[in-house]
Amino acid sequence: MTNKYSAQNIAAYFIYEVNELKSFINNEVLQYMLADVDAAWHKHFGNSAFTEEVAVSCDYTVKTVYDAYAELGEQHIEAPAKEWDLPYGTFQLVYRPFAVPAFTADEERIVRNVIRHYRLLATQAV
């Protein structure tokens, strides 16, 4: 059994990495990338990558991620969505972007392969 992550955190990783590579990412692309990561995760580790429910018969993979970026429509996503957090021992909520997971080497190889595959498809489409 391997680690499971929030799809929001994996989405944040994708958004940061794809933006750093100066490539385009929107909600639809993000959903395809999440679907690819989940499929590779199942193949390699035997379980889902996400803690959230995954919709298989819909146009999106993870509803919470889809809803977080739905207001952008087909626009480019510049930064990850934000969440409210109450750090232990404090009394003030903090509104911050979703954090990037601390992947193991095998997990990072999988997500990097998904990014590489996406960039290959994007360059072929042009």
Side-chain angles (χ1 to χ4, degrees), residues 101-121:
F103 293 121
T104 65
D106 275 349
E107 295 166 352
E108 185 156 359
R109 183 179 46 78
I110 289 171
V111 294
R112 289 222 173 260
N113 282 341
V114 169
I115 293 171
R116 193 173 308 117
H117 181 242
Y118 161 70
R119 292 207 59 219
L120 179 66
L121 290 176

Side-chain angles (χ1 to χ4, degrees), residues 6 8-9 12-13 16 68-69 80-84 96-100:
S6 167
Q8 290 284 10
N9 297 110
Y13 179 87
Y16 283 129
Y69 300 99
K82 295 184 179 183
E83 66 178 333
W84 287 103
R96 63 177 187 170
F98 280 96
V100 173

Side-chain angles (χ1 to χ4, degrees), residues 62-80:
V62 184
K63 184 172 177 13
T64 56
V65 175
Y66 178 84
D67 291 344
Y69 300 99
E71 67 184 27
L72 294 174
E74 295 182 8
Q75 294 177 2
H76 176 72
I77 301 171
E78 298 280 335

